[in-house]
Amino acid sequence: EKGGYDYFMLKEIAEQPKAVADTLLGRIDGSGSLTLDEVRIPANVLREVDKVVIVACGTAFHAGLIAKYAIEHWTRVPCEVELASEFRYRDPILDQQTLVVAISQSGETMDTLMALRHAREQGAKVLAICNTNGSTIPRESDAVLYTHAGPEVAVASTKAFLTQLVACYLVALYLGQVRGTKYADEIRAVVRDLASISGAVERVLDTMEPVRELARSLAEKNTVLFLGRHVGYPVALEGALKLKELAYMHAEGFAAGELKHGPIALIEDDVPVVVVVPSPRGRSVLHDKIVSNIQEIRARGARTIVVAEEGDDAVVPYADHLIRVPVTPTLLQPLVATVPLQVFACELATARGNEVDQPRNLAKSVTVE
Ligand code: M6R
């Protein structure tokens, strides 16, 4: 049942191109428009939405953080993202014009379920993004957009995360399409780019041997830090979460712009720092900023592990290790940039003799608080 792989996690990492393609299947028509009829929230209700609130836990929360960049950019509707466990215990301001998006692989996470109940009680419409047919969260939501990752067995979420991202992009683009936006041309272009994204994920998977080698060489380290900006920041958080749960190492993700506000004090000789570099095209300011961040940490002794787009030469002089990912539109980069971090964490877990599919103290779905 592991299909020839040693662990479910390896199998699930390898299944990502298919999971991504399956999640897009039938949702984009020949003319490049989105056909999300399954989101049974009427267009006039979606047009009146004045705020989107995303609630989720763990990896699904990281997908939500990335969704915020896409939703606000393409739709100009304000979007908040909150840990379900925080949201449900405060007094959030919601009404009939709020669209709450609950993201959950299992559809059974207690905090996410309670958060959506809390939202519906206040009249908000709830859209679930979920991987498990007929589970509680979609059953209790107004509408559901299923991710088609197939069953995910390993506790550490991989293919579910990539498909959550795809679903989030679809929701963002669909909201843009329904409401009309000044980014109509860009939306059409991104929909075209989505069609080839599964191939890009496949290409990343084909080049992972050096990442595995690097991971093995770091098995004795105590700490790995992750830095990113823009959508690369949640990718950094996700890379750190994977490493904690699989390798049982201290790992932290930071927004690179925060370095000087504290985290740079953690940099000492040979500490590995993974840096997710945004594309030099498009928002080149971000790219230039992160290149100087890499220089700053390297000058203080960090061992830099740089995840950068193919053809981005500016990072080469400052990268102790360079991991290349295919060129993608800025907002879609997490779909390719996360994959090496999953492989990295999985290999480190193996090198440290840890149980990959069932890490200590963790459960696949957290149905208690
Ligand atoms: O089933 P859910 O997506 O609601 O689960 C949320 C988290 O428990 C889950 O993503 C967890 O963080 C994973 N073990 C991360 O790999």
Side-chain angles (χ1 to χ4, degrees), residues 57-60 103-109 112 155-157 164 238 241-242 245 362-366:
C57 303
T59 286
I103 310 176
S104 174
Q105 187 286 129
S106 62
E108 301 295 346
T109 299
T112 310
V155 165
S157 186
Q164 283 161 357
E238 175 62 8
L241 177 62
K242 288 285 98 88
E245 59 179 345
L362 294 175
K364 180 66 182 162
S365 79
V366 184

Side-chain angles (χ1 to χ4, degrees), residues 9-31:
M9 186 179 177
L10 287 173
K11 175 173 177 263
E12 289 162 5
I13 287 174
E15 284 169 348
Q16 292 183 112
K18 181 173 187 310
V20 163
D22 288 350
T23 301
L24 288 165
L25 200 71
R27 288 168 171 169
I28 298 172
D29 70 15
S31 70

